[in-house]
């Protein structure tokens, strides 16, 4: 049986075909396309029609290879949404979470509902771009005309099948689902001017949505395709693709964002977790992703873009390895790095303001980012162990960051734990995992993770000696503190 994972991220999307061959998952990339938001009339907007058209183009390519039937699941980034009218038409283009409309929205919301109360209800971390704050500042007239609010992957599934659903792993990222009632919180909905009836029914990963609508078969030569609700939040899919064993492992989904945490059976929304701003995102198969958002490889992606892509990521990593370690540091989670006009200028300004050497060369800029990310990873590993009460013996780095050897070794050295890098295609594999289980080809997620371990190469990084983490951490905190004081 053939299975297709549609995995759309902030900078690109792709369709991967997966099938079981001789006890392993065999992956084939069918189609890849660029993605990104564009500023239009002062707003950062996604081209959702471009994404959907490329899904159909990818399926048509698949049909041309001789595949006549398959299952399909869609995952994308979280928090962004579509507003639909009663006829199912989109009322507005999809606004990106990096848009500045929410710069002050979180402050306005917590002035009305205390942050501690929101966290007690939802267990979700406070990020200025959460759907709660986007919907708070959304145009009131649009909300009044809205029949259905749909998260981005649910909307893409709706375009394919005509079925409106709210998949729970992505819905939890809105910061509006109640941990205990398992429904949208009425008070938070009131706050943003919506009601529960404006959201489609909940589905869990593994539920069959139906066939691709006949109208698309008339326009494209498509295979017979059964669409399955997977873990539509890409981090939820990525964690399913992490090949951890036992209960002493953590994950670091390393891509545009770095998501570091543990897979738990129960949420932790204690006062300590609230103070640390950890999140309890819903996972597949009644799990929770207890994690911390870290700015991630967005920093290096933007530095590369500002240099007109003169250097590949591999070349930047090689240049960084030649530079002095821990000479210059930045607080990677400072909101100034969320969507600056010029990332290089922003990093240089930060260094100047904190009395450090101003990095000028590509190698020094990359070194600053990799060192600072690794330090933040180490700090959060300590925090994660304290909050969960579990000792972590293994860290699985998954996603594109698994290819960055310098960052992986730094992470092992600073955390003092063994790092396993890979698979890079964890999100696609996690998407496929749900399809394999739903199709009866795998019994459960433990069985799929065993398949993943057999199917994909991984690199292990052992902690090295000679790293004074206390000294480095003190320097990092001092620099971050200086910036906060400005």
């Amino acid at each position: 049986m053939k299975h297709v994972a549609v995995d759309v991220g902030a900078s690109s999307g792709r369709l991967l075909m997966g099938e079981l061959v001789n006890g392993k998952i065999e992956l084939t990339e069918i189609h890849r396309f660029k993605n990104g938001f564009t500023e239009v009339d002062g707003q950062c907007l996604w081209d959702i029609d471009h994404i959907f058209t490329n899904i159909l183009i990818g399926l048509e390519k698949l049909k041309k290879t001789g595949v006549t039937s398959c299952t399909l699941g869609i995952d994308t980034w979280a928090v962004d949404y579509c507003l639909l009218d009663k006829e199912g038409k989109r009322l507005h283009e999809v606004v990106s979470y990096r848009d500045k409309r929410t710069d002050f929205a979180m402050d306005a919301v917590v002035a009305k509902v205390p942050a501690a109360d929101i966290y007690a209800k939802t267990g979700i971390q406070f990020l200025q771009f959460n759907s709660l704050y986007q919907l708070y500042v959304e145009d009131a007239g649009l909300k009044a005309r809205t029949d259905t609010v749909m998260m981005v992957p649910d909307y893409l599934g709706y375009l394919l099948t005509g079925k409106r659903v709210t998949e729970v792993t992505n819905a939890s990222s809105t910061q509006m689902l109640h941990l205990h009632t398992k429904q949208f919180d009425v008070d938070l909905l009131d706050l943003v001017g919506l009601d529960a009836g404006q959201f489609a029914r909940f589905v869990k990963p593994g539920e069959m949505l139906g066939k691709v609508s006949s109208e698309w078969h008339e326009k494209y030569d498509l295979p017979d395709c059964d669409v399955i609700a997977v873990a539509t939040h890409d981090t939820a899919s990525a964690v399913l693709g992490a090949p951890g064993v036992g209960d002493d492992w953590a994950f670091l989904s390393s891509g545009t964002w770095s998501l570091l945490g543990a897979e738990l059976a129960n949420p932790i929304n204690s006062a300590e977790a609230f103070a640390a701003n950890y999140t309890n995102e819903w996972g597949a198969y009644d799990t929770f992703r207890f994690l911390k958002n870290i700015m991630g490889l967005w920093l290096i992606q933007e530095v590369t873009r500002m240099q007109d892509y003169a250097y590949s990521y591999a070349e930047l990593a090689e240049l960084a390895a030649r530079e002095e370690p821990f000479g210059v540091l930045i607080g990677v989670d400072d909101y100034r790095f969320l969507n600056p006009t010029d990332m290089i200028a922003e990093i240089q300004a930060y260094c100047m303001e904190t009395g450090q050497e101003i990095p000028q060369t590509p190698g020094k800029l990359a070194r600053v980012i990799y060192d600072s990310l690794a330090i933040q990873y180490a700090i959060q590993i300590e925090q994660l162990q304290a909050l969960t009460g579990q000792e972590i013996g293994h860290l699985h780095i998954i996603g594109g960051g698994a290819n960055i050897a310098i960052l992986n070794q730094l992470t092992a050295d600073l955390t003092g734990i063994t790092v396993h890098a890979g698979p890079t295609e964890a999100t696609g594999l996690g998407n496929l995992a749900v399809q394999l289980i739903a199709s009866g080809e795998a019994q459960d997620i433990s069985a799929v993770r065993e398949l993943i371990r057999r199917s994909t190469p991984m690199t292990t990084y052992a902690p090295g000696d000679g790293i004074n983490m206390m000294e480095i951490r003190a320097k990092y905190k001092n620099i971050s503190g200086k910036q906060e004081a400005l």
Side-chain angles (χ1 to χ4, degrees), residues 62-326:
L62 180 64
K63 178 73 175 291
K64 288 178 180 178
T65 69
V67 175
T68 58
S69 64
C70 64
T71 67
L72 178 143
I74 302 172
D75 69 76
T76 78
W77 67 96
V79 305
D80 291 343
Y81 55 84
C82 300
L83 303 178
L84 277 60
D85 65 15
K86 289 183 179 180
E87 285 71 45
K89 303 298 183 183
R90 196 170 65 242
L91 290 169
H92 192 273
E93 297 306 316
V94 181
V95 181
S96 169
Y97 61 87
R98 292 192 190 274
D99 188 81
K100 295 186 182 300
R101 67 177 178 164
T102 56
D103 281 358
F104 306 103
M106 188 165 67
D107 292 337
V109 168
V110 299
K112 295 184 176 182
V113 181
D117 291 352
I118 295 174
Y119 191 78
K121 290 171 179 282
T122 69
I124 297 296
Q125 66 186 318
F126 289 81
L127 298 169
Q128 70 176 48
F129 48 73
N130 286 350
S131 314
L132 174 63
Y133 314 117
Q134 291 196 52
L135 287 165
Y136 181 78
V137 297
E138 184 61 82
D139 180 81
L142 284 178
K143 287 187 285 191
R145 293 164 54 203
T146 294
D147 181 74
T148 311
V149 182
M150 300 191 77
M151 307 305 288
V152 165
D154 294 332
Y155 176 67
L156 293 170
Y158 161 70
L159 291 179
L160 272 181
T161 67
K163 302 292 178 59
R164 302 189 197 189
V165 299
T166 301
E167 193 278 315
V168 295
T169 70
N170 212 319
S172 73
S173 73
T174 63
Q175 204 176 20
M176 297 191 298
L177 289 192
H178 199 289
L179 279 173
H180 303 300
T181 68
K182 307 295 185 183
Q183 301 294 323
F184 282 105
D185 183 79
V186 174
D187 295 333
L188 296 177
L189 286 178
D190 285 345
L191 184 67
V192 300
L194 294 171
D195 63 66
Q198 290 172 286
F199 293 84
R201 68 181 181 88
F202 287 122
V203 297
K204 292 183 177 181
E207 182 167 328
M208 192 71 68
L209 296 184
K211 300 282 187 182
V212 172
S213 298
S214 59
E215 65 174 298
W216 303 121
H217 284 277
E218 294 169 3
K219 297 177 181 179
Y220 295 83
D221 186 18
L222 306 177
D224 181 32
C225 193
D226 292 310
V227 181
I228 295 174
V230 295
T232 65
H233 184 177
D234 53 8
T235 307
S237 277
V239 172
L240 289 176
V245 182
D247 57 6
D248 70 337
W249 62 278
F251 60 82
L252 172 56
S253 180
S254 180
T256 300
W257 288 94
S258 290
L259 299 315
L260 190 152
E263 186 179 71
L264 304 179
N266 297 294
I268 302 174
N269 61 332
S270 62
E272 292 79 11
F274 166 59
N277 204 28
Y278 264 68
T279 202
N280 294 273
E281 295 172 351
W282 298 14
Y285 309 115
D286 299 317
T287 60
F288 289 87
R289 298 185 309 284
F290 185 65
L291 63 83
K292 180 78 169 184
N293 267 59
I294 301 168
M295 198 68 75
L297 298 179
W298 163 253
L299 296 156
I300 203 77
Q301 290 166 357
E302 282 295 280
V303 165
T304 305
R305 185 176 70 85
M306 297 313 302
Q307 296 173 116
D308 294 323
Y309 303 99
Y311 301 89
S312 69
Y313 298 132
E315 288 169 335
L316 281 178
E318 186 176 324
L319 291 171
R322 302 174 190 170
E323 300 292 337
E324 175 194 358
F326 310 114

Side-chain angles (χ1 to χ4, degrees), residues 250-254 377 395-403 407-409 411-412 419-424 461:
F251 60 82
L252 172 56
S253 180
S254 180
Y377 297 162
L395 177 64
H396 287 271
I397 297 182
I398 52 180
N403 294 321
L407 182 55
N408 298 336
Q409 187 62 62
T411 302
V419 165
H420 307 280
T424 57
Y461 297 85

